Amino acid sequence: MQISSNSSKYKNGDRNNEDSSSLLSSEEKYKNLVANIPGAVYHCTCDCTGDGELTRTMGFLSDAVQEISGYPSSDFINDRVRSFASIIHPQDRKNVDATVKKSVATRTPYILEYRIVRADGEISWVCEKGQAVGCEAQEARGKQEREGEIEGFLAARVSPVSPIANSLSRVVYLDGVILDITERKRAEENLRNTQDFLNAVLQNLPISVFIKDAVEQKFIYWNTASEELFGYSSDEVLFNNAADLLESEQANYLQAQDLEVLATRKGVDLPEQTIELPHRGKRILHAKKVPLFDDSGAPKYILGIAEDITESKKTETELSRLAIVAQKTQNGVIITDAQGCIEWVNEGFTRISGYVLAEMQGKKPGDVLQGPQTDPLAIAQLRSALAAGVPFNQEIYNYSKEGKGYWVALSIAPIYQETGELEGFIAVHTDISDRKQTEEVLRKSESYYRCIVETASEGVWMFDSESITTFANSRMAEMLGYTVEEMLGRSLFEFIDCESREIAESYVQRRREGIRERHDFKFTRKDGSHLWAIVSATPMFDGEGNFSGVLRMITDISDRKQAEAELRQTLKELEFEKFALDQSAIVSNTDEFGAITYVNDQFCEQFKYSREELIGKTHRLVNSGYHPADFFKKLWSTIRQGKVWRGEMKNQAKDGTLFWLDTTIVPCLNTSGEPHQYVAIRKDITKRKRAEEAVQLSESQLRSKNQELAKALRDVHKTQSMMVQNEKMVSLGQLVAGVAHEINNPVSFIYGNVMHANDYFKDLLKMLQLYQQEYPHPTPEIQREIEEIDLNFMLADLPKLLNSMKMGAERIRQIVLSLKNFSRLDEAEQKQVDIHEGIESTLLILQHRLKETAGHPKITLLKEFGNLPRVQCYAGQLNQVFMNIIGNAIDALEEAMETGQWAEGEMAPIPYCPSPTLRICTDVKYEQDALMQGSHAISDVSRRHPSHIVIRIADNGPGIPIDVHERLFDPFFTTKEPGKGTGLGLSISYQIVVEKHGGQLKCHSAPGQGTEFAIEIPVVSSQ
C-alpha cells in the first residue's frame, strides 16, 4: 500500500523527540481506518491545462479501488499506468470535469454519479464525493516538514471537510471517496422498468384506474381509461379532488365513500353507481375502492377502479323483451416480452381460457389459443402488428384449454423503454362470446321482432342521418293518417307545421350530439289536424361511431292533451267563480284543526280584523258566546264526517259588534276521503234576524194576551161551572174572532202595501239601472254617496227585506185564519165539515209548543191521516176537544222532558221512541152488509158505508196512573199544579163528544206506556 512507501519520510524527519514506536502505532491505526472505509479514499492534485481541461493526479488511492474498477490502486498513483480519468465512461467525462471545476471555483463539496469501464470491460456505476482543499504554500510546506507527510494527510481525513482557503490561497489538492453503486443503479433501473411496465398495464387497461392520497383525497394517478370515462385529462385531474371537478352534492357523495374506506380500512364494491359528469352526462359505473397502507399500517392511498357499464345497462333494457341479460365480464390480461413470449397472465385470462400462468409462461399466445376456426386474415394482421410494434385491436376466435371455442375482443399495446427499445406487449382479452351469440340470435329472430314492431300499440319511426324516413310501422302510419308507403322517403319536417319546425331542428341537433331524451311534440296529420304524442328519441351510430339516424317511439296523447286543455279551462272557470264568491260572500278557509289559513276582504271588513290578525287563529276569536258548547260539538261532528254543515251563527266583531251570519261549511277531502281543510261561506243576515225577532216579539205579545184571556176564561169557567159552558164558548169565539179581526185589518194593510212597495222598488231599480246605463260615469259626489250607502248591497238586500216582510204578514194572516176556523163563530148549527181542517187549525195554534226551546227539544209530530168523509158536527166544539186533548199530550211530554221517563215496550202506543213524539191518526169505520147466496156469506164491498170516524191522539209520555185514570173525566179534577189547569178540559171534551155528537171518548194508558185518546164520532149525527 502506498502508505508504507511514504512512512520512511516520517521516520527520517527532524522530530527526534517523538517516539518512533508511537508513530508506527499511529500509522497502523490509520491504515486500518482507511482500509475499513466503504469505498476508495483518494487524495489528488488538481490542475488545469492550457486548453482549460481539468487534470487530476492521484497522490493517494486506497486499495478498495481495485474491487471497484478491477485495477490496483498503484496503477493510478501519479498516473503510473493510467490516469483515473481514463476509466471514466466517455459519455460521462465531460459532466465529471464540469462538476469538479465548479466545486473548485466555488470552494463547495461535490457529489458525482457516473460510469466507469472496469478492467474486465464491464460498466459499473460509482458515486464520488469530494471537496477542493487549499492553504498557503509556505504554511503547507512547514506543516509537512514538522508533522510528516502521512500524519498531515491523515489529520486532514479525520478533520471536518470544509473550505479553509481564504482569498489569498490557491487550491492544491482534492480529497474524496469513491463508492461502488452499481447494484443500487441496477435496482433503480429494475424499479423504473417495473414502474413503466405497471404503468403500461394500467394505461392500457380498458377500465378506469385512479389513486388518491388518504389525507386530502387528491388524485395522484389517472390512467387513459379514466380520461375516456370521466372526460377529464390527467392535467385537469391530478392534485385536485372531486370537489374541484364535480357538483357539490356529487362530490360530497364520493368523499363519503372515501371516508368510509379509510374508516373501515376495507374496500367497497359499488356494482351500480350513477354519477353526473359535466362532460359526459349521467353515467352508470361499476366501481371499487380499496385502501393502501404504509409500512406502519396507516392508510396512505385510496385505489379506485371504475368501469362504465352505461351502455351494457342500456343494452339490457333494450333486450329485456327477449329475456337476454347482458353479463358483465372481467378482462384477461397478457404481458409478453419483445418476442411475444408470455411473462404474466391475470386471473381473468385463466377464467376465460382455462390456462394458468405456469402453463402459459414462455409460450406465445397464438401457439396455444388459436385453432382451425380462427380467421387466418386476423392471425396475419396480428403478427404484422406485433412485428411492427404497433397497437392491434381485433375480434378473434380462440380456443380454451378444454378445446371450446370463444370470441374475444383483443387489444394489444406495445411497451417501450425510455431508450425507445421495445420491451414487450400488453394484451387485453374481453370475452364477447355472449354478445356474438346474442347477435346471432338477433339475426335469426329479425322477422319475429319485426312482427312485434308491426303489431305494437306504439308508433315506431326510424330516420337516417338526414331525417329521412327509413321505417315506420303500421301503427305510426295510422296515427298520421298515411300509409307506410307514403311515409317512406319523406322528411321528418314534412309532418311538422312551421310553428314547431324550429324546436324540431333543435331536437334533431341534440340527436346528432348523442343525446337520448323523451318529450311531448305536436305533429301534423295528413288531414291537417294535430297529433300530440310522447316522443322517445334514441340516436343511432354506426360501428365507427358516426351518427347514422334516430329511432323514435311515438305514443298518441291527443286525448290527454285535450283533457289537459279542458282542465285548464275548468280551473280558469273555477278561478272566476272563486273571484265571484269572494266578491259576494264572506269566505274563510281553515285547516283540519280549525286554524284559519285564508280570509277574503269581506271577512276582514265584517269582523274588523286584519288578515295578519286572523291567519293561524281559530274562529274562537270571533265567537260571541251566544251558542252553547253542544252547538259546536254537533257542527264539528258533522264536518269531520265529510258532510256539509249549514246553519245560522251569531258572531262578534273586533269592536264588539254582534251580527248574525248564514253559514255553510264545506269539508275538502283528501285522497283517502278524510277532511284536510274546510271552506266556510257566510252571508250577513243580521237585518233578517232583527225582523224575525220583531215578528217573534209580536207573536210573544199576542201569546201573552191570549194567555191572559185564557186565564180569564178559566176564571169564568170556575164561577159559572158547567151550566154556562155554552155561553162561555160563544164569548170565547166572539173574543177570538174579534182579536182575529183586529189583527187582520192592519196585517192586510201591511200585506197589501208590501206588494205595491215591491213594484215601486222594481220600477226605481229599473230607472236606476237605466240611469247607470245612460250615465255610466257619475259625478264624484254621487260616486261617494253610492259608496257610503253601499248601493249594490242595498239593491241586493232590499228585495229580500220586502220578501221577509211579506212572509211575516202572510204568517200572521194564516194565524188569524186559524183563529177564525177554530172559533167557528158563524157555525152555531151542525154542518158538514172537514175534520182534518179543524185538527190542522188546532196544531197551527199550538205549533209554538212543538218547537225546540231553551232546555226542551223539539216535539216530533206524526200525522197519519186517513181518507175521511165530511162529518156533520159542531166544528167549533170539536176544535175545543182537539185543543184540550192535544194540549194535555204536550203537557205530558214536557213533564217527561223534565223527568226523563218515556214510554217503553211493545205495548206503548209509540213503542221504542226515545224522543218526545206526538202522533195523530184518523180512520173510518164501515157498516158491512152480508149478502147471502146459497150457503156462503159474501162481503159486497160496494155495499160498505162509512158509519164513524176515529181520531187517535197519542204521546210517548210517562202515562197515567190507574187511580187517576178512574177520575179522568170528572169535573174540576186535575193533577196539574195550581194555576195550570181547571179540571174542566176533559170533562167538557167528554160532554161534547158523547152528549153533543153521540160518539165515544176513550183513554188507553198505563204508567210507563204512554197515553192514547180515541175519539169516535158518527159521520151523520143522530141528534
Side-chain angles (χ1 to χ4, degrees), residues 231-262:
Y232 290 102
S233 66
S234 297
D235 294 337
E236 294 175 303
V237 171
L238 293 182
F239 307 111
N240 288 318
N241 53 34
D244 300 323
L245 305 172
L246 303 175
E247 296 292 335
S248 59
E249 181 178 356
Q250 191 74 51
N252 292 337
Y253 173 69
L254 296 177
Q255 185 180 19
Q257 292 179 0
D258 295 342
L259 295 177
E260 179 183 357
V261 171
L262 297 174

Side-chain angles (χ1 to χ4, degrees), residues 39 93 194 200 299 400 470 477 486 630 654-655 769 900 983:
R93 291 174 185 168
T194 301
S400 67
T470 59
E486 289 175 327
D630 289 343
K654 185 177 182 180
D655 60 2
Q769 291 175 344

Side-chain angles (χ1 to χ4, degrees), residues 582-602:
D582 280 340
Q583 297 300 313
S584 61
I586 301 169
V587 182
S588 67
N589 291 358
T590 62
D591 61 17
E592 58 182 318
F593 304 107
I596 298 173
T597 59
Y598 168 78
V599 292
N600 68 348
D601 293 338
Q602 291 203 32

Side-chain angles (χ1 to χ4, degrees), residues 57 178-179 208 279 306 362 371 454 492 536 614 693 735 739 806 814 835 863 913-914 928 942:
T57 302
I178 300 173
L179 304 173
S208 167
H279 300 303
E454 286 297 334
L492 167 67
S536 297
L614 293 168
E693 290 173 358
L735 179 63
V739 172
K806 182 179 177 181
Q814 291 177 0
I835 294 298
K863 294 189 290 187
C913 185
Q928 296 186 3
S942 64

Side-chain angles (χ1 to χ4, degrees), residues 823-922:
S823 67
R824 296 285 184 175
L825 185 62
D826 56 342
E827 295 178 6
E829 301 296 330
Q830 289 189 354
K831 290 185 179 182
Q832 297 282 339
V833 297
D834 185 356
I835 294 298
H836 289 159
E837 186 176 88
I839 295 174
E840 293 289 356
S841 297
T842 303
L843 291 174
L844 184 61
I845 294 173
L846 296 174
Q847 186 176 9
H848 68 282
R849 300 188 63 188
L850 301 176
K851 294 181 179 180
E852 179 182 2
T853 60
H856 292 120
K858 175 184 177 182
I859 297 175
T860 302
L861 177 62
L862 303 177
K863 294 189 290 187
E864 300 174 4
F865 290 173
N867 188 13
L868 300 183
R870 299 182 70 82
V871 179
Q872 185 177 354
C873 64
Y874 295 103
Q877 295 181 15
L878 283 182
N879 289 345
Q880 182 64 32
V881 173
F882 298 150
M883 174 70 74
N884 289 337
I885 296 176
I886 295 174
N888 287 340
I890 295 174
D891 291 339
L893 291 174
E894 290 177 347
E895 179 184 350
M897 294 178 196
E898 298 292 338
T899 62
Q901 298 177 357
W902 303 99
E904 298 179 353
E906 297 180 350
M907 301 302 295
I910 308 176
Y912 304 113
C913 185
S915 61
T917 304
L918 177 65
R919 186 184 67 186
I920 303 176
C921 303
T922 62

